Amino acid sequence: MIDLRSDTVTRPTPAMRKAMADAEVGDDVYSEDPTVNSLQERAAEIFGREAALFVPTGSMGNQVAVKLHTKPGDEIVIEERGHIFNYEMGTPAVVSGVIVRPVKSSDGSGMLTWTDIEPALHVDQPYYSCPTGLICLENSHNLAGGSVMTAAECRMICENAHSRGIPVHMDGARIFNASAALGTSVRDLTGECDSVQFCLSKGLGAPVGSVLVGSREFIAEARVWRKRLGGGMRQVGVLAAAGLVALEESPPKLADDHANAKTLAEGLAELPGLSIDPEKVVTNIVIVDASAADLSSQEIVEALKEKGVLAIGFGSAIRMVTHFDVSSDDIAKSIAAFREILAK
Ligand code: TLP
């Protein structure tokens, strides 16, 4: 099977498996796991932050951040296709008691600008409005087809937000992909954000885990909330060990994933009934609109499966994500499978 459903499906590399087998461990609830501590120190160093916390999932990292930055009754502002809003099962409401104010990105790229955000804010408004407690950004933007936000744009949003007393959280599940696409370090891409969550288990290919980075004080509070939410893990150095390897060995490979995604988009753009602009595919996510095809997106996904290709239908679109277990040959086979299905 060529599994293009997500970059979460990768298997640990031999180096990850070896590091996991050899990992020194201790009880991380007492902060005594040396491998977890090394991962957190390395992550803080890479992002130029005071501290970091290993969390089981990206969702937990995001939701702990939402919890810490807000108080019940606040609003969080986010692009309307953002993961925190669409795929985290209402957790901002359930755990933090906040509501979400979804905002459109004016150019459709999924990347908010300050001009998009400012009219949605509630700052210094009458007491009966819902105060804005947090702005959430996403880089790269999953549901917007892996689009990226430059360091300059992010800085402008953060500076303006901070001047109004509003913190900014970055859902950087795939920030290393954004970094590879833009040729900018993850540190520069996230520099002014108050907190950043990044996933080890997406493009970087580790089996499990995410990291939340921020100030020492923020991370100390995050540790409390991680435990409260059931995320206090014990001898979890076996997982952190794979994360440490992923941080070193995976970023240089992302350019290959991006080239594969571009080739896939170019191939699909030629086919009848499919619509995608390959120019806009800059990272590892390919979302192709199939609304003009004779088959529904779901029918295409099922036919692809019979030909050994796994993809995901999102409404009338189909999402495919490249990763290090997908070769350029697999991409050629996937395009051929689409061609046969759509020719019928
Ligand atoms: N995204 C998954 C699905 O939930 C859609 C995927 O296959 O892409 N932020 C972003 C931008 C994400 O894409 C995801 C996962 C998360 C957060 C949540 O990470 P996990 O799955 O570790 O909770």
Side-chain angles (χ1 to χ4, degrees), residues 22-344:
D22 295 346
E24 258 189 82
V25 296
D27 191 330
D28 183 49
V29 170
Y30 303 131
S31 303
E32 284 172 5
D33 188 304
T35 312
V36 172
N37 292 340
S38 298
L39 172 65
Q40 290 171 170
E41 280 158 26
R42 182 75 185 115
E45 182 183 37
I46 291 172
F47 281 80
R49 300 304 174 117
E50 285 174 2
L53 186 72
F54 186 45
V55 287
T57 63
S59 302
M60 188 183 281
N62 284 337
Q63 296 303 331
V64 165
V66 170
K67 178 71 205 171
L68 293 185
H69 288 304
T70 61
K71 55 184 192 323
D74 281 355
E75 272 185 6
I76 62 173
V77 167
I78 186 168
E79 199 274 336
E80 63 179 358
R81 287 165 288 174
H83 195 277
I84 289 174
F85 175 37
N86 291 280
Y87 287 97
E88 295 185 15
M89 299 174 315
T91 310
V94 176
V95 170
S96 301
V98 299
I99 61 167
V100 175
R101 180 161 296 266
V103 172
K104 268 189 199 306
S105 71
S106 46
D107 65 357
S109 70
M111 288 302 138
L112 294 177
T113 62
W114 182 250
T115 316
D116 298 329
I117 292 171
E118 195 174 24
L121 300 177
H122 290 161
V123 184
D124 296 333
Q125 299 223 339
Y127 75 90
Y128 43 80
S129 72
C130 246
T132 307
L134 177 66
I135 295 168
C136 293
L137 304 177
E138 186 174 318
N139 197 12
S140 66
H141 192 311
N142 184 347
L143 266 286
S147 53
V148 293
M149 176 176 281
T150 62
E153 200 59 59
C154 183
R155 196 174 313 116
M156 192 194 287
I157 292 172
C158 290
E159 281 169 5
N160 279 298
H162 292 158
S163 73
R164 287 156 179 79
I166 303 170
V168 179
H169 170 68
M170 171 64 78
D171 177 356
R174 296 184 178 83
I175 194 75
F176 284 89
N177 293 86
S179 166
L182 291 161
T184 310
S185 68
V186 293
R187 182 185 186 139
D188 287 347
L189 284 181
T190 58
E192 320 288 319
C193 297
D194 298 85
S195 54
V196 184
Q197 177 282 120
F198 73 93
C199 292
L200 295 160
S201 61
K202 307 271 172 338
L204 299 185
V208 179
S210 287
V211 182
L212 188 58
V213 298
S215 69
R216 210 175 304 287
E217 197 188 346
F218 177 86
I219 293 299
E221 262 307 288
R223 182 177 290 279
V224 173
W225 273 96
R226 181 187 67 174
K227 183 79 172 75
R228 212 167 250 157
L229 295 174
M233 302 176 285
R234 301 290 177 172
Q235 286 69 23
V236 72
V238 289
L239 298 180
L244 270 167
V245 173
L247 275 178
E248 304 311 320
E249 77 175 10
S250 301
K253 298 190 217 163
L254 295 174
D256 295 340
D257 299 345
H258 296 178
N260 280 336
K262 180 78 91 184
T263 307
L264 179 60
E266 284 164 352
L268 298 183
E270 308 276 292
L271 300 181
L274 298 185
S275 159
I276 183 164
D277 180 356
E279 285 289 303
K280 293 193 174 146
V281 176
V282 295
T283 60
N284 66 333
I285 299 181
V286 177
I287 299 181
V288 61
D289 178 21
S291 50
D294 292 336
L295 300 172
S296 72
S297 63
Q298 215 39 54
E299 286 167 329
I300 296 173
V301 166
E302 276 157 31
L304 282 169
K305 191 171 177 185
E306 279 169 28
K307 292 184 181 296
V309 178
L310 299 177
I312 290 190
F314 279 103
S316 62
I318 299 170
R319 185 189 80 157
M320 285 146 288
V321 187
T322 57
H323 49 77
F324 64 54
D325 283 339
V326 173
S327 64
S328 52
D329 196 38
D330 292 334
I331 295 298
K333 286 183 187 149
S334 305
I335 297 168
F338 265 98
R339 185 178 297 113
E340 282 171 34
I341 292 163
L342 294 166
K344 279 194 186 149

